[in-house]
Each structure stands twice: as C-alpha cells, then as structure tokens.
Amino acid sequence: MGKKKRCMFFITKKINYFLFVMSVLCSISSCVPLHQYTLIEMPLLPVDSLNKNWQVTQSVTISPLKEKINDNITSTFITAWSVQDKQLTIVGLTATGQILMRLDYTNQELTEYYSPLIKRTIPGKEIMALLQLAHWPIVAIETTFKDTQWQVNALKNERDIYVDKQRAVNIINAPEGAPSGQNDAIIHNYINRYTLHIKTLTINNLP
C-alpha cells in the first residue's frame, strides 16, 4: 500500500470512528432520561402559605428506589421542623441526637449547615422541598408552580409532581396502615431514585 493510500485509509478510519461516536451520543441523547433533570432544583414554597404555625418531629427513612421489595439498604434519621414567624427551620438528627444538618428558610434566603461527620452530602434543600410538597396545601403548590416547568396533579391522598410533563415525584399521604394518620407520607423521588418513608412522631400547633 502506497503512502497516499495509507494516509487516506487512516483518515477514513478516523472519520468512521468519529461518526460512530457521534451516532452513539445522538442515540443516547434521544432517549431523554429523567436523570437529566437532576440539575433542575425543586422550587421551595412560601413558608407562610402553610397557613399555620407548626412544630413537627418525624422519623425519615431513606432507601434506594428499586423494584425489589427485599432491598434493605436504608438509612434513618430524625427531622425536627417548625414553621413560625414566616420561617421554616429543619434540623436533621441521628438517633442519638447528634445534629446532621440545619436548614433555615425565610422565603428570601436559605441557610444551610451540615455536620463534618457526614461523609456524603445530604440533599437538604431537596428534602425541604419534598416535605413542603407533602404537607403544604395544594393551592400553595399550584401558585408556586404557575408559569414554570413544574406541575402538580392531586388526588384524594396522593400527589404527583411533574417536570416538563414527566413524573418526578409521587407522594402518598396517610398511607394504608399508618398509625399516626394523615401526617405520615411515602415519597418516591424518581429524579434521584430514592424513597422517603416519613413517620410523624409528634406534632404541635404553635401560637
């Protein structure tokens, strides 16, 4: 094979490889997985749109969102949160009372603190958004979602949250068998593939 033919063969091979790579990338991008929305932050709702002052303690168990029922990879922590004077405060605690995180939200500003003991980042703002989506009135969610890519579809005790018409979150309030009633919830996060099982331990109205 002459020098010119070897050169043309090398160039053709490179072009074919480039076209192959581009075709793979195009085929992947055409699938549009829901995971592409991980960079779209869930909106926080106005604190005062809860229309009450609350102090709540809940047990939160987080587990991977998988089809296998016998998946026992879980982590449980305690959340103590309150709404008062237009401020939402959430404190995440271990079972022994050590502070894992503290979030303070005042509609205009969100401050976050995370313990150096945490090896992996807790999605604090996302957990705050999910708690709001589970407990705040539907009208507050609809008002916040207006003119955004987010939508809510509410049934009797179930809420589906959509982003660009794809279901992102499913919330079941007062799941069957929940002993503490309507303030318990199961939240499936299809964006980041995990489930929150929320059991309400105490709830008090504040002045």
Side-chain angles (χ1 to χ4, degrees):
M1 183 183 294
K3 184 176 181 181
K4 181 179 290 187
K5 287 185 177 181
R6 286 199 302 271
C7 182
M8 288 300 298
F9 174 78
F10 178 78
I11 293 174
T12 303
K13 185 176 181 181
K14 286 291 186 181
I15 292 174
N16 288 337
Y17 177 75
F18 173 76
L19 292 175
F20 169 75
V21 171
M22 289 301 296
S23 66
V24 171
L25 291 176
C26 288
S27 64
I28 293 175
S29 63
S30 65
C31 293
V32 193
L34 188 60
H35 288 74
Q36 74 170 348
Y37 295 113
T38 54
L39 297 179
I40 302 178
E41 292 188 346
M42 294 184 184
L44 295 177
L45 308 178
V47 176
D48 48 332
S49 62
L50 179 62
N51 296 324
K52 64 180 74 176
N53 290 331
W54 256 6
Q55 187 174 41
V56 183
T57 304
Q58 295 175 319
S59 171
V60 179
T61 299
I62 183 170
S63 58
L65 184 62
K66 294 183 178 181
E67 295 181 358
K68 294 182 179 179
I69 300 176
N70 60 349
D71 190 349
N72 294 319
I73 305 175
T74 63
S75 179
T76 300
F77 58 96
I78 303 296
T79 60
W81 58 275
S82 63
V83 173
Q84 193 171 34
D85 298 328
K86 297 183 179 181
Q87 177 170 315
L88 170 59
T89 298
I90 297 179
V91 179
L93 305 164
T94 65
T96 58
Q98 292 178 298
I99 296 179
L100 296 174
M101 67 174 181
R102 179 188 172 102
L103 311 172
D104 292 284
Y105 178 53
T106 61
N107 291 343
Q108 287 81 28
E109 184 180 8
L110 172 67
T111 57
E112 304 173 77
Y113 162 79
Y114 297 95
S115 168
L117 299 175
I118 300 176
K119 295 181 180 180
R120 296 179 64 184
T121 302
I122 294 178
K125 184 178 180 181
E126 186 171 281
I127 290 176
M128 176 179 281
L130 292 173
L131 287 175
Q132 286 191 311
L133 292 173
H135 296 295
W136 264 238
I138 287 295
V139 65
I141 301 174
E142 291 173 337
T143 301
T144 301
F145 284 0
K146 187 178 181 180
D147 299 325
T148 72
Q149 68 267 58
W150 295 87
Q151 304 89 34
V152 58
N153 181 30
L155 302 175
K156 183 178 179 181
N157 67 330
E158 193 167 349
R159 300 176 178 187
D160 283 316
I161 309 300
Y162 295 84
V163 56
D164 289 337
K165 298 183 180 180
Q166 293 200 57
R167 189 166 72 159
V169 176
N170 170 253
I171 301 170
I172 304 172
N173 286 307
E176 186 177 353
S180 35
Q182 63 180 353
N183 296 308
D184 286 3
I186 297 175
I187 303 175
H188 301 295
N189 186 329
Y190 297 111
I191 296 179
N192 288 327
R193 308 296 298 172
Y194 63 82
T195 295
L196 297 178
H197 290 262
I198 300 174
K199 179 181 179 181
T200 299
L201 305 176
T202 64
I203 185 166
N204 296 291
N205 292 315
L206 299 176

